[in-house]
Amino acid sequence: MKIIKVKDQVEGAQKGFEIFKEGLANDAKVFGLATGSSPIAFYQKVVASDLDFTECTSVNLDEYVGLPAENDQSYHYFMKENLFNKKPFAKSYVPNGLASDIPAELKRYDQVIADNPVDIQILGIGQNGHIGFNEPGSSFDSNTQEVQLTESTIKANARFFENEADVPTKAISMGIGSILKAKKIVLFAYGESKAEAIKGTVEGPQTTDVPASALQLHDDVTIIVDEAAASLLSK
Ligand code: GLP
């Protein structure tokens, strides 16, 4: 794993931007995208640039079950607001959290991933080490799955909702196995609340207790962290 320590999200965004730019120059066509606060500065940097994705495809990690795309807390909405409205892709895929047949939706999304192998995957990380919405216990070879969100994730994500009771309890997430198929992975983590998860990801044993520790199995992972998120790393 390559660890890049940055002073803040703006510097982190710049590093991520350079990786995207180089990817595009080397013919990357499919970009795996993430939501959450950690990639926002990065998307702003991309939006402000002249990078062109009109011949590219994006595949998002996850979506809450039960939120329509128009709901301002849905990940469909987040992606439109933060990126797609200003930097359109030829085709953008996000799981459908309103699917009436969830098993069929999981299968459909696995097919999307199989048809569009990801060149560069962006990730954030949950305080409990989740990637996408793959909570502790998710197997490292999982495909797209429906996930029951843990109490700690619901609490952590409640900051974006009016009330904690409004946070959906389930999500559809690309699996860890699918994430690991990306050619290149870039993870952003900022702040002290991520320090434990980053230590487990980088130095801990490979364990499903810390889903992101699966990234140790991949040979092209860049972790962009600030001082606080890196504070528990020994090296
Ligand atoms: C959610 C998303 C993850 C994201 C995580 C961390 O749970 N499903 O993809 O990494 O939040 O979010 P933040 O970057 O806001 O801390």
Side-chain angles (χ1 to χ4, degrees):
M1 282 180 184
K2 183 172 172 194
I3 315 290
I4 301 182
K5 255 200 223 177
V6 294
K7 69 173 190 306
D8 55 21
Q9 300 200 20
V10 174
E11 195 184 327
Q14 176 64 32
K15 299 284 177 200
F17 174 78
E18 284 160 17
I19 295 172
F20 255 40
K21 190 172 176 179
E22 192 191 327
L24 273 173
N26 287 299
D27 233 20
K29 285 273 177 281
V30 182
F31 293 82
L33 302 177
T35 57
S37 56
S38 306
I40 288 181
F42 164 70
Y43 292 140
Q44 285 169 348
K45 179 90 201 157
V46 169
V47 163
S49 75
D50 58 1
L51 296 190
D52 179 17
F53 296 94
T54 52
E55 288 180 9
C56 297
T57 299
S58 69
V59 184
N60 257 82
L61 284 171
D62 48 10
E63 178 59 288
Y64 287 114
V65 167
L67 292 191
E70 311 76 58
N71 184 299
D72 63 3
Q73 291 310 324
S74 77
Y75 287 170
H76 277 83
Y77 191 94
F78 175 101
M79 290 310 302
K80 278 194 189 140
E81 283 291 301
N82 287 287
L83 189 65
F84 299 152
N85 284 346
K86 301 153 203 153
K87 278 282 167 196
F89 284 66
K91 184 86 194 144
S92 287
Y93 296 98
V94 182
N96 175 11
L98 281 190
S100 56
D101 182 345
I102 297 277
E105 174 60 11
L106 305 182
K107 255 181 115 175
R108 179 190 76 87
Y109 214 66
D110 278 339
Q111 194 58 50
V112 165
I113 298 162
D115 292 343
N116 299 280
V118 172
D119 291 301
I120 305 180
Q121 176 69 54
I122 295 295
L123 294 177
I125 187 168
Q127 292 172 22
N128 63 2
H130 73 230
I131 44 176
F133 262 134
N134 296 288
E135 296 281 37
S138 296
S139 94
F140 285 2
D141 58 6
S142 48
N143 292 323
T144 307
Q145 52 179 347
E146 185 182 28
V147 198
Q148 184 72 47
L149 302 180
T150 61
E151 227 13 77
S152 79
T153 296
I154 291 172
K155 277 204 165 18
N157 288 2
R159 69 198 137 119
F160 301 115
F161 291 80
E162 254 173 59
N163 302 298
E164 193 176 315
D166 297 338
V167 185
T169 57
K170 290 182 179 171
I172 295 175
S173 180
M174 195 189 276
I176 296 177
S178 321
I179 292 171
L180 292 177
K181 284 191 190 129
K183 282 196 201 118
K184 183 186 267 303
I185 296 177
V186 180
L187 184 150
F188 296 107
Y190 304 111
E192 205 187 333
S193 67
K194 303 293 172 71
E196 197 72 50
I198 287 299
K199 184 175 173 56
T201 302
V202 179
E203 295 179 354
Q206 288 166 25
T207 167
T208 57
D209 293 345
V210 181
S213 67
L215 299 175
Q216 294 173 20
L217 298 167
H218 194 282
D219 64 5
D220 191 351
V221 176
T222 301
I223 302 207
I224 297 174
V225 274
D226 65 1
E227 204 58 60
S231 59
L232 296 177
L233 293 177
S234 60
K235 289 166 233 140

